[in-house]
Amino acid sequence: MIIDLFRRVLGRKARIVDQPRLRVHALAQHGVRRDQISACALRTTDALHKAGFEAFVVGGAVRDLLLNRAPKDFDVATNATPDDVRRVIRRSRIIGRRFQIVHAMCNDEVVEVSTFRALQGSSEDDQAADEHGRLIRDNVFGSQEDDARRRDFTANALFYDPRKQEIWDYFDGLGDIQARRLRMIGDPAVRYREDPVRMLRAVRFAAKLGFRIDEGARAPIRGLADLLSNVPSARLFDEMLKLLLSGHAVECLRQLRAEGLHHGMLPLIDTVLDEPEGARFVNLALTSTDQRVADDKPVSPAFLFATLLWHQVRVTAARIETEGESAVPALFTAMDAVLDAQKVKLAIPRRYDAVMKEIWSLQSRFLQRGGQRPYRLLEHPRFRAAWDFLVLRAEAGEVEASLAQWWEDFQDGDDDARAALLVAEDRPKRRRRRGGRSRRGGSDEGGGNGTRGSSDDDGEDA
Ligand code: ATP
Ligand code: MG
């Protein structure tokens, strides 16, 4: 036990990587060829080289190519200033105020070009941190070595020179990639304090790349997790979205929980996952999202957040109903309450609210399978999303599988098949009604309650 602790403490100390030692790896050692670099990135680095500057492909693209994965995008780092880059690359524009970068534009590709940057300012004024150590500014140009040092993980700090097909490596990132290890540059605790989002990045990269977080980088996370509450909520939301859309959402969420990072991220999800029914639905939703990413199908953030918050909406609506409210108003009140509550920490942008609410509120309309209503629902612009949502609910055992099947048959059927389904559905319903009329007032659509319910009634049972 004590030996273990000793080893851990020593190990952590020994593993801190802050002495850069440049190694230049030739093609034979790393295998990344020039023709694997995007056309726009090549044009950009070639133009900068021709003008006498240094230019490298950097960061995630180099890492992904070494792992035989297709990079999401290509970033370039250079010793040319933004104004230099602007002059050298005709179709480009400077963006950003705090730290300027240049967007080089080709046909359908944009490459981000940034000037080598230092973390440590030469004067006190160049670098500012808040009382928790979080960096507020880091806006000084630096050397390539400085630029490597300011990056988060060694695997993300590799520079690829397309001209010579060399990889420039200051912190043995190549070794770490080969060992599938995520190692922080510098003292991990300090780096997390500077930018707590790095803790979430560690989890995302580990899950996505199948890497192990080096013990030195993993150990401080639990103790520093609360620092996430100092991160602006818009940034937290962006990172959460990256996590959920990484194609490894299930694994990301598992690791977030394992590292104690989930509290700050999705306060409501926390309670959901502790209840078997909620957890089942969320896991199904995330599994299906991961599958869609793997299949290169589009994923809608609004749909995803609708699934993550659904359990809470249901529980809240049920509670309001027990206080005497009828179903539809209870649902609407619950939707607003849930959306407001989670906005305090995780700023799900308002623009997603409308879609989430539509997906939720359409669920009760799937219960109505007679008359003109199913035809009208089919025409609804959000039908497809609401139906996908219904399928997940059926898989989670929240509604009968036969209901989802009915809607599948109805969508796929021709006119006759659809009419036959309607009849089949109407008969038992009529019989039930004759026996118990009171059901109408308490139905999901809240028929007796408002104009919406009664207008939907026409055409039914006529
Ligand atoms: P992805 O495949 O998710 O885009 P990436 O490594 O390219 O992965 P980006 O967020 O696009 O990640 O950032 C590009 C590079 O900038 C990273 O590889 C890393 O070197 C550096 N970087 C990004 N965010 C941080 C951060 N918070 N702290 C330190 N370095 C960072
Ligand atoms: Mg990137």
Side-chain angles (χ1 to χ4, degrees), residues 378-398:
L378 219 48
E379 307 270 288
H380 195 287
R382 214 59 72 188
F383 171 82
R384 186 69 212 185
W387 143 255
D388 284 341
F389 200 87
L390 179 76
V391 170
L392 282 177
R393 293 174 64 214
E395 279 175 36
E398 194 190 302

Side-chain angles (χ1 to χ4, degrees), residues 55-363:
F56 297 83
V57 173
V58 70
V62 186
R63 176 198 71 215
D64 289 348
L65 287 171
L66 284 166
L67 292 165
N68 286 320
R69 294 164 164 263
K72 248 183 8 203
D73 41 40
F74 286 81
D75 297 329
V76 166
T78 177
N79 63 348
T81 65
D83 289 328
D84 292 332
V85 178
R86 229 352 244 112
R87 267 194 299 276
V88 173
I89 317 272
R90 211 176 334 120
R91 287 199 57 211
S92 66
R93 59 159 185 231
I94 295 184
I95 59 160
R97 262 173 298 161
R98 190 178 63 100
F99 195 90
Q100 294 189 328
I101 58 169
V102 182
H103 275 175
M105 287 154 303
C106 307
N107 300 331
D108 53 355
E109 196 189 341
V110 176
V111 165
E112 214 169 273
V113 186
S114 39
T115 306
F116 294 146
R117 191 191 320 179
L119 191 66
Q120 237 73 50
S122 49
S123 72
E124 270 181 19
D125 214 35
D126 289 328
Q127 193 196 342
D130 68 8
E131 73 267 34
H132 306 287
R134 184 165 69 94
L135 282 186
I136 307 168
R137 264 179 286 145
D138 57 333
N139 53 354
V140 275
F141 295 142
S143 65
Q144 184 185 34
E145 185 183 300
D146 293 332
D147 195 70
R149 190 197 286 274
R150 75 160 175 99
R151 293 174 186 277
D152 44 8
F153 302 101
T154 60
N156 285 346
L158 296 169
F159 298 82
Y160 178 76
D161 178 347
R163 182 182 40 178
K164 299 186 183 153
Q165 305 189 96
E166 287 170 349
I167 286 180
W168 292 43
D169 183 359
Y170 290 87
F171 294 102
D172 194 25
L174 190 61
D176 285 334
I177 287 182
Q178 281 157 355
R180 314 241 146 190
R181 180 171 56 207
L182 215 51
R183 222 161 34 115
M184 181 67 86
I185 297 170
D187 182 336
V190 173
R191 303 302 310 278
Y192 292 141
R193 284 183 185 282
E194 285 171 1
D195 179 8
V197 167
R198 287 173 186 148
M199 295 189 273
L200 301 174
R201 287 172 61 85
V203 166
R204 173 160 61 91
F205 290 130
K208 179 173 131 173
L209 307 170
F211 277 26
R212 184 173 55 78
I213 305 176
D214 168 70
E215 186 53 28
R218 203 187 67 80
I221 291 181
R222 192 167 289 277
L224 298 175
D226 285 347
L227 291 178
L228 282 173
S229 58
N230 303 324
V231 176
S233 51
R235 175 133 191 257
L236 218 49
F237 175 80
D238 284 348
E239 191 55 36
M240 188 67 194
L241 207 54
K242 281 189 195 171
L243 260 147
L244 294 172
L245 301 180
S246 67
H248 301 270
V250 173
E251 180 56 19
C252 279
L253 225 63
R254 192 194 65 74
Q255 288 210 28
L256 280 183
R257 281 166 71 79
E259 302 303 340
L261 278 171
H262 53 303
H263 291 292
M265 292 304 288
L266 275 176
L268 292 178
I269 294 306
D270 210 21
T271 45
V272 174
L273 291 178
D274 288 337
E275 291 175 52
E277 204 189 321
R280 195 169 145 67
F281 183 71
V282 165
N283 277 323
L284 277 168
L286 294 180
T287 306
S288 116
T289 304
D290 287 347
Q291 190 56 50
R292 287 184 71 90
V293 175
D295 295 343
D296 246 343
K297 289 188 190 153
V299 178
S300 132
F303 182 88
L304 197 53
F305 284 106
T307 62
L308 294 181
L309 300 174
W310 172 238
H311 184 70
Q312 201 68 26
V313 169
R314 280 178 69 209
V315 170
T316 311
R319 203 196 58 232
I320 298 171
E321 274 189 77
T322 61
E323 290 161 7
E325 191 58 277
S326 50
V328 171
L331 178 67
F332 277 82
T333 309
M335 295 193 299
D336 285 333
V338 168
L339 288 173
D340 284 347
Q342 63 71 40
K343 277 202 167 65
V344 177
K345 269 216 163 152
L346 185 78
I348 297 183
R350 289 269 171 212
R351 65 175 183 280
Y352 295 132
D353 283 10
V355 178
M356 284 193 273
K357 287 182 178 179
E358 273 180 317
I359 291 173
W360 290 333
S361 59
L362 284 177
Q363 295 307 308

Side-chain angles (χ1 to χ4, degrees), residues 25-58:
H25 305 290
L27 176 63
Q29 292 162 280
H30 60 72
V32 177
R33 298 179 319 274
R34 180 183 156 87
D35 62 28
Q36 291 174 275
I37 306 300
S38 77
C40 197
L42 282 182
R43 248 167 66 188
T44 306
T45 51
D46 285 351
L48 286 165
H49 287 148
K50 232 173 111 189
F53 296 105
E54 294 165 31
F56 297 83
V57 173
V58 70

